[in-house]
């Protein structure tokens, strides 16, 4: 499931007052099936004899997809998705990992939406009572697969998901705190000001200098390159999930993944300083009171691909007004819930 799909599902949950729950497939890859006629061999696992009595090397024939097998993830998907379609789900055209189902139960049209991410199911539903669409699906799910109900969703894909009376909130405070503890063991320097932008005006020229140095044969120490690539990769994940305010800085840093300089490593740490000192929350507002369906009524359902939530991008500890911040707000205007 894509990052944009997670935000769309959160918006739909807020708009239509849907409950959100998470299910986990236990040892998901082991529940997949090889394709008909597919033959795969592997070396014996540690602890088993590798040489047979005839002196020849032993191999094992794989009868079920296992972790470490190149096609294990694909085989798991090819096992789960056909089952969902057979159950009655329709696959989203813009993201094949999102499915919707709709049935009439006791005179009420109920809708169920799920997002799949490897071994996790992000489920959105109206009612979980006896005989409901959600209850029927989860019963069939538990009968077919080895799954665990992890309760109301609180995090998914390192994105914290919470809910209050009027909003569904997405943020990455815990993930960013983990990055700080990993890459800044001494914490954020006191010299890093709250008003500091995520990137300096010299960043483009620093990237150009690094690319020019690579052309001239400059070599980056492997340990420095590994640390830089890991940090920038983590910041890139933040920028695509909930932190578009650092997208420009991270995009520039990504251009020099193989030819970084100490100045660029400091620039990457500066972005991490900024993400730590600022708080960005995506707030998807509920537009109408909670809808309680009655027999004979139909729950309102809009097209999955065209939700219209009211979105607020709330930033605490905002930088002081300045050219950099004004450019940011022109790209990502703040919208107050209606």
């Amino acid at each position: 499931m894509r990052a944009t799909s997670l935000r769309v599902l959160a918006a739909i949950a807020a708009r239509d007052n849907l409950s959100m729950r998470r299910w986990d497939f236990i040892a998901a890859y082991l529940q997949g099936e090889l394709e008909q006629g597919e033959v795969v061999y592997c070396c014996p696992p540690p602890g088993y004899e590798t040489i047979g009595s005839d002196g020849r090397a032993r191999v094992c024939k794989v009868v079920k997809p296992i972790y470490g097998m190149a096609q294990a993830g694909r085989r798991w998907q090819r096992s789960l998705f056909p089952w969902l379609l057979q159950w009655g789900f329709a696959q989203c055209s813009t993201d094949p990992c999102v499915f919707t189902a709709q049935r009439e139960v006791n005179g009420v049209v109920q809708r169920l939406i799920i997002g799949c991410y490897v071994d996790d199911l992000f489920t959105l539903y109206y009612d979980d009572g006896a005989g409901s669409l959600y209850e029927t699906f989860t019963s069939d799910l538990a009968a077919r697969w080895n799954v665990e109900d992890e309760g109301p969703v609180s995090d998914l894909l390192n994105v914290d998901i919470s809910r209050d009376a009027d909003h569904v909130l997405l943020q990455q405070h815990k993930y960013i705190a983990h990055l700080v503890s990993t890459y800044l063991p001494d914490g954020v320097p006191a010299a890093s000001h709250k008003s500091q932008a995520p990137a300096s005006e010299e960043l483009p020229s620093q990237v150009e200098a690094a690319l020019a140095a690579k052309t001239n044969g400059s070599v980056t120490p492997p340990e420095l390159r590994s640390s830089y690539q890991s940090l920038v990769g983590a910041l890139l994940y933040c920028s695509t999930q909930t932190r578009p305010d650092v997208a420009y800085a991270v995009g520039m840093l990504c251009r020099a993944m193989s030819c970084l300089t100490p100045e660029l490593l400091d620039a990457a740490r500066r972005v991490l300083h900024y993400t730590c000192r600022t708080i960005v929350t995506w707030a998807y507002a509920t537009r109408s009171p909670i809808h309680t369906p009655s027999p004979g009524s139909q729950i309102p359902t809009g097209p999955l691909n065209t939700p219209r939530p009211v979105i607020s991008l709330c930033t605490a500890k905002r930088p002081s007004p300045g050219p950099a911040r004004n450019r940011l707000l022109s790209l990502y205007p703040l919208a107050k819930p209606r």
Side-chain angles (χ1 to χ4, degrees), residues 11-302:
I12 293 174
R15 181 193 66 181
D16 295 339
N17 294 292
L18 300 179
S19 298
M20 301 180 293
R21 206 166 185 90
R22 176 174 171 174
W23 287 76
D24 177 66
F25 291 91
I26 300 174
Y29 284 5
L30 303 183
Q31 300 189 55
E33 299 289 343
L34 295 176
E35 293 185 343
Q36 186 175 3
E38 183 177 15
V39 179
V40 179
Y41 294 96
C42 68
C43 297
Y48 287 80
E49 293 291 340
T50 58
I51 303 297
S53 57
D54 58 356
R56 302 173 64 184
R58 283 186 173 181
V59 294
C60 297
K61 183 178 180 179
V62 178
V63 297
K64 294 277 287 184
I66 56 176
Y67 286 86
M69 196 172 77
Q71 61 268 48
R74 183 65 169 169
R75 297 297 170 263
W76 162 240
Q77 183 196 65
R78 290 292 181 90
S79 299
L80 176 62
F81 284 15
W83 182 84
L84 292 173
L85 294 174
Q86 185 180 10
W87 195 88
F89 280 94
Q91 198 168 24
C92 180
S93 59
T94 55
D95 187 343
C97 294
V98 177
F99 297 80
T100 63
Q102 185 171 294
R103 293 181 186 174
E104 184 174 331
V105 180
N106 297 326
V108 178
V109 176
Q110 297 186 3
R111 191 180 190 188
L112 178 64
I113 307 173
I114 62 173
C116 304
Y117 185 78
V118 189
D119 59 349
D120 289 318
L121 283 185
F122 180 35
T123 60
L124 280 63
Y125 59 93
Y126 286 97
D127 179 27
D128 60 356
S132 65
L133 179 61
Y134 173 78
E135 193 271 339
T136 302
F137 168 69
T138 54
S139 296
D140 293 344
L141 183 72
R144 172 60 180 85
W145 309 96
N146 185 11
V147 294
E148 180 181 3
D149 182 5
E150 297 191 341
V153 65
S154 59
D155 67 274
L156 191 68
L157 313 182
N158 283 317
V159 177
D160 299 327
I161 304 174
S162 58
R163 191 169 202 161
D164 59 22
D166 301 314
H167 299 85
V168 172
L169 308 175
L170 303 182
Q171 53 196 14
Q172 285 187 289
H173 304 338
K174 294 179 182 177
Y175 181 64
I176 293 172
H178 171 71
L179 296 183
V180 171
S181 63
T182 302
Y183 298 101
L184 302 173
D186 296 329
V188 178
S192 177
H193 302 293
K194 296 178 182 179
S195 60
Q196 193 175 51
S200 66
E201 295 181 356
E202 291 77 23
L203 181 58
S205 60
Q206 291 173 347
V207 172
E208 291 179 3
L211 294 174
K214 179 183 179 180
T215 303
N216 295 331
S218 177
V219 179
T220 304
E223 63 279 3
L224 190 63
R225 181 170 61 248
S226 176
S227 176
Y228 178 83
Q229 291 174 346
S230 177
L231 173 56
V232 174
L235 293 171
L236 179 62
Y237 183 72
C238 287
S239 71
T240 58
Q241 294 289 331
T242 63
R243 297 302 301 260
D245 51 330
V246 301
Y248 170 76
V250 174
M252 293 298 298
L253 294 170
C254 285
R255 300 184 184 184
M257 287 295 237
S258 62
C259 55
L260 70 137
T261 61
E263 291 77 17
L264 289 180
L265 182 58
D266 289 339
R269 290 172 178 155
R270 171 173 173 159
V271 177
L272 183 55
H273 298 166
Y274 172 85
T275 59
C276 180
R277 289 192 175 277
T278 57
I279 299 175
V280 173
T281 300
W282 291 78
Y284 296 88
T286 301
R287 277 186 161 176
S288 59
I290 294 178
H291 178 78
T292 304
S294 57
S297 66
Q298 179 170 332
I299 296 176
T301 56

